[in-house]
Amino acid sequence: MSKELEKAKELVAMLEERERKNKVRLYEIPVGGKFDTGIGRFIVLEQEGDKTAVTTEGLYRKDVRFDDDSNEYFTSELSDLFEEEIFPEFKEEFDSDNLCSRQVSLATVDMQRKDLVLHAKVRPLTFDEARKYNDLLVNKDLPDWYWTCTAWSTEERGWGNSVAVVSPSGVIGCNDDCTCSGVRPFCILKSNIFVSKVTEE
């Protein structure tokens, strides 16, 4: 066996061992910890019993329009993007059974449309979640703000096209629905799955 082949095999063995050591149950990663997947790096936002709330560390999509004439998430282009493209990618990565659905309020920032609720396994953060997890969401390397699924207010109040967005530094503001912002998906996973823990250097 050539020395080059021996070195290659040693390198492969070393990488496999490192990968094995980094594999942990998701519940073992503390809040603020990170793990790698085939679709990107994720941050743990909350450990809640047998479930773990996570979001992507970076933007999963860039330059995405919310919609062209409405700030209501249910009928938006952004909702279609999640249902038709993003959810299938997450489903393939994690398996649908490991993605947990939870009901969240889609009341506007000024508490209009209080009856609107959303059930989804993969979605943008809500305004309330962007506040709750704000310190963990800061990533000044992001190239753009990113959408929440929360409308700023309503047409009746003169804000029918404004949606809450979050800046790389964590500031929450609003953008017009037809402008482009990034997408940073949120989901809740079963905590017993194995993931590749990121070891901060």
Side-chain angles (χ1 to χ4, degrees):
M1 183 183 297
S2 69
K3 288 184 179 180
E4 290 79 8
L5 185 55
E6 281 184 24
K7 287 183 179 179
K9 286 188 173 182
E10 287 174 5
L11 178 59
V12 169
M14 183 184 71
L15 292 174
E16 287 177 346
E17 177 66 11
R18 183 182 298 174
E19 174 71 8
R20 185 188 66 77
K21 286 182 178 179
N22 286 344
K23 284 284 187 181
V24 298
R25 298 279 188 180
L26 183 52
Y27 61 72
E28 297 178 66
I29 299 181
V31 170
K34 301 172 185 178
F35 61 96
D36 284 326
T37 72
I39 56 173
R41 180 167 290 181
F42 286 77
I43 300 172
V44 171
L45 300 177
E46 187 171 358
Q47 292 285 9
E48 35 189 24
D50 61 350
K51 297 180 177 64
T52 304
V54 305
T55 193
T56 55
E57 179 184 48
L59 297 183
Y60 195 73
R61 293 283 198 281
K62 299 177 183 178
D63 300 323
V64 173
R65 188 171 65 171
F66 189 91
D67 199 62
D68 61 357
D69 63 359
S70 173
N71 64 0
E72 188 169 316
Y73 181 72
F74 288 113
T75 60
S76 69
E77 295 173 17
L78 183 60
S79 177
D80 290 343
L81 174 67
F82 269 82
E83 289 301 311
E84 296 168 11
E85 296 184 26
I86 296 176
F87 172 66
E89 292 166 4
F90 274 57
K91 180 179 175 182
E92 182 176 351
E93 178 66 28
F94 297 113
D95 192 293
S96 184
D97 290 341
N98 293 320
L99 289 161
C100 308
S101 180
R102 173 180 293 172
Q103 177 177 302
V104 291
S105 171
L106 283 188
T108 62
V109 171
D110 58 351
M111 294 304 292
Q112 303 302 296
R113 301 180 187 161
K114 294 180 185 178
D115 57 328
L116 288 183
V117 293
L118 172 65
H119 291 271
K121 290 188 172 183
V122 184
R123 57 175 172 77
L125 291 157
T126 65
F127 170 77
D128 287 336
E129 290 164 341
R131 291 191 304 167
K132 179 179 181 180
Y133 304 123
N134 195 271
D135 288 346
L136 299 169
L137 296 172
V138 173
N139 181 353
K140 294 181 180 178
D141 292 329
L142 295 178
D144 198 359
W145 295 56
Y146 53 95
W147 296 112
T148 72
C149 53
T150 302
W152 195 255
S153 187
T154 62
E155 185 70 40
E156 293 76 18
R157 292 190 169 190
W159 292 82
N161 295 98
S162 297
V163 180
V165 289
V166 186
S167 78
S169 63
V171 172
I172 300 173
C174 66
N175 266 1
D176 191 87
D177 55 23
C178 66
T179 60
C180 289
S181 290
V183 175
R184 202 173 175 186
F186 168 90
C187 66
I188 298 172
L189 296 167
K190 289 185 178 177
S191 298
N192 63 350
I193 64 173
F194 282 100
V195 295
S196 298
K197 181 180 180 180
V198 173
T199 302
E200 299 291 347
E201 298 179 357

